[in-house]
Amino acid sequence: MKDDIIIPKVTNVYVAIVNEYNNTYKTHDWNAYIINDKDVDLEVVLIVTNGYSKDKTTSTFRKKLNLLPAKSYAKIELMQEDLFALNNQFKVTFFENNKMFDKTYLFRKNTINKKAFQSIPLMEARGVLVK
């Protein structure tokens, strides 16, 4: 029965961690974003995140977006720098043209840092990207 379930491969949807200036608090904050670099909208986007290591696990954070338009992005969450010592995973499920897609994006421990910055698609920003 499990073999009958086909979940297509996710392409052109990314998760990025960006360090950006917060004008309100005059600080540099780390924020996680989901990026839809497709030419179609994503519907009912569910994101489940947590951090973990051998002996630590963070609480689970859930976010739902009813719609993520084509060629757009949305903020998932503010991230504390202490979390970067953990593996941070983002489980993303969404519908595209009435088909369900699912992918887990993993930022391995200590890989979120300014040395790993690259250009982020659709955003005028640099950060750490997982495809």
Side-chain angles (χ1 to χ4, degrees):
M1 185 119 149
K2 239 180 165 179
D3 295 336
D4 296 339
I5 300 171
I6 299 170
I7 299 177
K9 184 179 177 186
V10 174
T11 58
N12 298 329
V13 176
Y14 316 116
V15 174
I17 310 290
V18 178
N19 185 258
E20 52 198 353
Y21 189 71
N22 183 324
N23 286 321
T24 305
Y25 298 108
K26 310 290 187 229
T27 59
H28 280 88
D29 296 338
W30 292 90
N31 293 300
Y33 286 90
I34 183 163
I35 301 164
N36 177 10
D37 199 15
K38 293 177 172 278
D39 293 324
V40 296
D41 298 344
L42 306 182
E43 298 174 337
V44 191
V45 181
L46 304 172
I47 306 161
V48 179
T49 71
N50 72 321
Y52 65 90
S53 68
K54 201 178 219 181
D55 44 332
K56 285 186 186 178
T57 302
T58 67
S59 57
T60 300
F61 176 81
R62 294 171 181 85
K63 182 168 181 97
K64 176 187 173 198
L65 302 168
N66 289 324
L67 181 73
L68 185 59
K71 300 293 183 183
S72 71
Y73 56 90
K75 188 182 290 188
I76 300 171
E77 66 178 332
L78 170 71
M79 296 191 66
Q80 301 297 321
E81 286 189 54
D82 296 350
L83 296 174
F84 301 162
L86 304 173
N87 295 307
N88 288 278
Q89 69 178 3
F90 295 76
K91 295 180 181 182
V92 178
T93 304
F94 60 88
F95 287 90
E96 174 189 328
N97 298 322
N98 291 324
K99 287 185 186 172
M100 186 177 84
F101 290 76
D102 183 71
K103 183 171 181 176
T104 299
Y105 298 85
L106 179 63
F107 292 87
R108 297 203 182 278
K109 65 180 183 176
N110 301 316
T111 60
I112 303 171
N113 59 63
K114 292 183 179 179
K115 292 178 185 173
F117 276 10
Q118 58 183 296
S119 293
I120 305 298
L122 302 178
M123 299 177 71
E124 292 182 16
R126 293 181 54 77
V128 182
L129 182 72
V130 173
K131 295 182 177 183

